[in-house]
Amino acid sequence: MIAGGNSPLIRCWDVASEKLRNTFSSKSDASLTTLTSAWEYDLNDGYSGLGPDIVIGGFGNGSLRLYDTRSDTGDPVLYMNEGRSRQSLSRRRKHSAFDEHTSWIIDVSFTTYGGRHEIVSGCVSGSIKFWDLRYSSSVRTIEHKMQMTALAAHSNVPVFATGSPNQFIKIMAYDGTTQQIIRYHGPDERLGPVSCLKFHPHMPFLAAGFSNDGIVSIYGSRGLQ
């Protein structure tokens, strides 16, 4: 378990033994707002990615940082595999800091769709960026064109979902096209912003939470289930 927040430190815990395994600096003066592991499980292919110890953090100032939880300093100690076997790893070190976003990071997700290992990040101002960690800049950017309050990317399907203050959820493809718009319909229409979104890891289901009603809604391919 990896934890951080309004603190300069990130702590890594061994859940089985209930002991603190490692502590290192976040290397940022801003609050840590989101964390994800660069490691995904697929029913057919098993685990894939950069490894269970590689994590990516998003911060309140819009920056992203890459960490290796095995290092006492948190610095990445692995090298990128540039299409070769793990026995012939490239000596090109991964970049560890990304500063293209300009506002609060609301979510960072790891996706393995199409055999690619990409990071999807989004900030409050509506900018969504895709990252290949071999490079120092994002590989593409999608503008949401409105403020975002939540973001989730599906790990195995090329879609992501965004939430906004006006209760709308957009389902979008990786090329930026809008596939579907979902608006909450329930007994109380006086709701707050979409506060959180989460895809099922393997199936086309999306869970959404709203800030004022205390209800989690589950959406599928045929609407609310």
Side-chain angles (χ1 to χ4, degrees):
M1 180 177 68
I2 304 169
N6 189 20
S7 165
L9 298 177
I10 294 175
R11 293 178 171 86
C12 308
W13 299 83
D14 185 322
V15 177
S17 63
E18 300 182 2
K19 293 182 179 180
L20 184 66
R21 192 185 77 176
N22 196 9
T23 301
F24 53 84
S25 171
S26 67
K27 302 178 180 65
S28 176
D29 295 331
S31 297
L32 181 69
T33 58
T34 182
L35 271 172
T36 191
S37 170
W39 193 238
E40 291 287 349
Y41 179 77
D42 183 87
L43 289 174
N44 297 319
D45 301 325
Y47 285 101
S48 65
L50 303 180
D53 297 293
I54 304 299
V55 296
I56 300 95
F59 291 85
N61 62 359
S63 64
L64 298 171
R65 296 289 184 269
L66 180 71
Y67 306 102
D68 191 318
T69 63
R70 297 167 297 181
S71 169
D72 292 337
T73 61
D75 292 327
V77 296
L78 293 178
Y79 294 88
M80 290 301 298
N81 184 341
E82 310 240 13
R84 295 183 288 276
S85 68
R86 293 188 64 86
Q87 286 73 27
S88 58
L89 293 178
S90 167
R91 299 302 296 175
R92 183 178 183 180
R93 180 179 285 275
K94 288 191 284 292
H95 297 277
S96 60
F98 308 90
D99 297 309
E100 292 184 20
H101 286 294
T102 58
S103 60
W104 184 285
I105 303 294
I106 57 175
D107 187 77
V108 180
S109 298
F110 179 69
T111 176
T112 58
Y113 174 75
R116 297 175 294 185
H117 298 156
E118 290 187 339
I119 302 299
V120 186
S121 62
C123 63
V124 169
S125 64
S127 177
I128 301 163
K129 292 182 178 291
F130 292 77
W131 308 84
D132 181 327
L133 297 180
R134 293 172 295 181
Y135 307 109
S136 59
S137 58
S138 58
V139 295
R140 61 188 181 280
T141 300
I142 296 171
E143 295 298 338
H144 188 242
K145 300 181 180 178
M146 66 176 67
Q147 185 180 359
M148 280 197 308
T149 55
L151 172 70
H154 201 292
S155 59
N156 295 296
V157 180
V159 296
F160 59 90
T162 64
S164 65
N166 59 6
Q167 307 172 24
F168 283 92
I169 299 171
K170 279 187 178 182
I171 308 298
M172 304 178 70
Y174 280 5
D175 61 3
T177 58
T178 299
Q179 303 295 307
Q180 187 177 1
I181 296 178
I182 302 169
R183 187 180 188 280
Y184 179 87
H185 294 282
D188 186 359
E189 297 296 336
R190 296 172 296 175
L191 299 174
V194 180
S195 58
C196 55
L197 294 166
K198 183 67 175 180
F199 277 105
H200 188 283
H202 311 297
M203 301 177 66
F205 294 106
L206 174 68
F210 297 84
S211 62
N212 291 350
D213 67 349
I215 296 174
V216 175
S217 299
I218 309 298
Y219 300 93
S221 58
R222 294 185 179 180
L224 184 64
Q225 304 298 305

